[in-house]
Amino acid sequence: MPNSSLENKIENQLVAITRKFFDELGAERARIAVTLDAMLEKDLGLGSLEKAELQHRIEKIFGIRLPEKLLVQAKTLRDFVEPIQQAKPQKHIIVEALDTNLAAAHIDPSQAKTLVEVLQLYAEADPERPHIYL
């Protein structure tokens, strides 16, 4: 049975979200390897914290809340498609790829003594860019 239009949009958006996530991590090889069927841990190298952050981003972008058990059960991005459909996304699904071509900020953090000082350097160099996600 062919994929529905909504399913295709969800699949495309999941790939775009994940590629943007790897862009921000500076993990170019993982970004290139992103497919719906790539193993999150084995192929993409996602640990539990990264997987939790990715799920949080997915929830935020789709405007939904996914089951916590999905953190453990999801082995590929495809495993997120049905739970997203069942959650009935409230936000408009972006079909086009997210902008992942942000230029790297050129700073020298070697003189910083704390994480706060490093973040201040990045914020001064590129104030419009998100530098940390909590």
Side-chain angles (χ1 to χ4, degrees), residues 50-91:
E50 294 90 359
K51 199 171 169 184
E53 172 63 19
L54 180 60
Q55 181 166 324
H56 170 73
R57 290 177 185 214
I58 291 167
E59 290 174 334
K60 184 176 177 183
I61 288 170
F62 284 105
I64 59 172
R65 182 80 174 128
L66 294 169
E68 287 184 27
K69 65 182 180 180
L70 193 58
L71 273 174
V72 176
Q73 294 175 341
K75 303 297 182 212
T76 68
L77 288 177
R78 191 174 302 281
D79 295 333
F80 285 92
V81 175
E82 187 176 335
I84 290 171
Q85 284 180 306
Q86 290 174 351
K88 296 184 174 81
Q90 299 301 308
K91 294 186 179 179

Side-chain angles (χ1 to χ4, degrees), residues 90-109:
Q90 299 301 308
K91 294 186 179 179
H92 174 71
I93 298 173
I94 302 166
V95 177
E96 61 276 352
L98 300 172
D99 180 19
T100 58
N101 294 323
L102 295 173
H106 298 288
I107 67 157
D108 178 14

Side-chain angles (χ1 to χ4, degrees), residues 8-32:
N8 284 333
K9 289 177 183 178
I10 290 170
E11 290 171 352
N12 291 338
Q13 189 63 29
L14 281 171
V15 169
I17 292 166
T18 307
R19 285 188 176 145
K20 183 175 190 302
F21 180 61
F22 283 121
D23 268 348
E24 292 172 11
L25 292 176
E28 182 63 19
R29 276 198 244 178
R31 190 189 80 69
I32 292 169

